[in-house]
């Protein structure tokens, strides 16, 4: 657009990858491909522009392994704590899963809470809140999880 003002210049751009870690809310951390862990392979790619991080991740053959409780998937950066009166910024992203056993009827989404360095998947249940994905939902070694979204850093 011909704008050459310093204030409008892009001064923070980064592309990268990270190895996704799977952590349980009550116990354990699983690293990619290690015996007895919660998945066989995990990868993530991101693009950070200014204070916004766009990402995609994939975990193959997810199982409960050595983790317990709600499943938490690491992010490449920690999410911002929000601005001014916003104390619990919640970013929502898309997820696709195969072989995951959700017993309720609802829509599954990916959530990132402000100040967290991880995201979680929850099934939205009509008028009853959220049902977080946990180790009981992924116990058959035939699960693939894909997530994509963005958050502020």
């Amino acid at each position: 657009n011909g704008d050459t003002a310093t204030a409008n210049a892009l001064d923070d751009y980064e592309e990268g990858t990270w190895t996704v870690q799977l952590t349980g809310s009550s116990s354990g951390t699983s690293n990619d491909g290690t015996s007895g862990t919660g998945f066989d392979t995990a990868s993530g790619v991101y693009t950070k522009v200014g204070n916004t991080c766009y990402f995609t991740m994939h975990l193959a053959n997810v199982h409960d392994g050595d983790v317990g409780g709600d499943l938490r998937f690491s992010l490449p950066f920690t999410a911002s704590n929000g601005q001014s009166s916003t104390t619990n910024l919640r970013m929502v992203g898309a997820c696709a899963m195969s072989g995951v056993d959700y017993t309720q009827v609802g829509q599954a989404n990916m959530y990132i809470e402000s100040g967290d360095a991880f995201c979680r998947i929850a099934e939205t249940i009509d008028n009853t809140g959220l049902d977080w994905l946990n180790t009981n939902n992924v116990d058959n070694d035939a699960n693939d999880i894909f997530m994509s979204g963005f958050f502020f850093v």
Side-chain angles (χ1 to χ4, degrees):
N1 68 5
D3 186 352
T4 59
T6 302
N8 296 332
L10 177 61
D11 61 356
D12 187 9
Y13 180 87
E14 178 181 339
E15 293 180 352
T17 63
W18 86 102
T19 300
V20 180
Q21 288 190 329
L22 175 61
T23 304
S25 61
S26 61
S27 65
T29 299
S30 293
N31 295 309
D32 177 23
T34 308
S35 176
T37 61
F39 51 87
D40 290 342
T41 59
S43 61
V45 296
Y46 69 88
T47 301
K48 183 175 168 284
V49 181
N51 70 343
T52 306
C53 179
Y54 303 89
F55 70 94
T56 301
M57 70 174 83
H58 171 233
L59 289 88
N61 297 320
V62 180
H63 51 87
D64 53 6
D66 298 328
V67 300
D70 299 341
L71 301 180
R72 298 174 175 190
F73 307 89
S74 69
L75 295 169
F77 302 100
T78 299
S80 167
N81 279 322
Q83 301 174 15
S84 62
S85 63
T86 305
T87 58
N88 193 21
L89 179 66
R90 179 175 277 179
M91 303 308 290
V92 178
C95 65
M97 301 177 286
S98 66
V100 173
D101 180 23
Y102 256 146
T103 57
Q104 305 294 325
V105 176
Q107 175 66 42
N109 290 302
M110 182 268 305
Y111 290 88
I112 303 169
E113 303 284 347
S114 63
D116 285 345
F118 60 85
C119 62
R120 298 185 289 169
I121 297 174
E123 185 177 25
T124 306
I125 309 301
D126 257 357
N127 300 320
T128 61
L130 301 173
D131 179 23
W132 297 108
L133 183 71
N134 62 60
T135 54
N136 295 327
N137 305 120
V138 291
D139 59 3
N140 64 9
D141 293 341
N143 304 290
D144 282 302
I145 298 176
F146 300 87
M147 287 182 271
S148 183
F150 73 94
F151 62 98
F152 299 112
V153 295

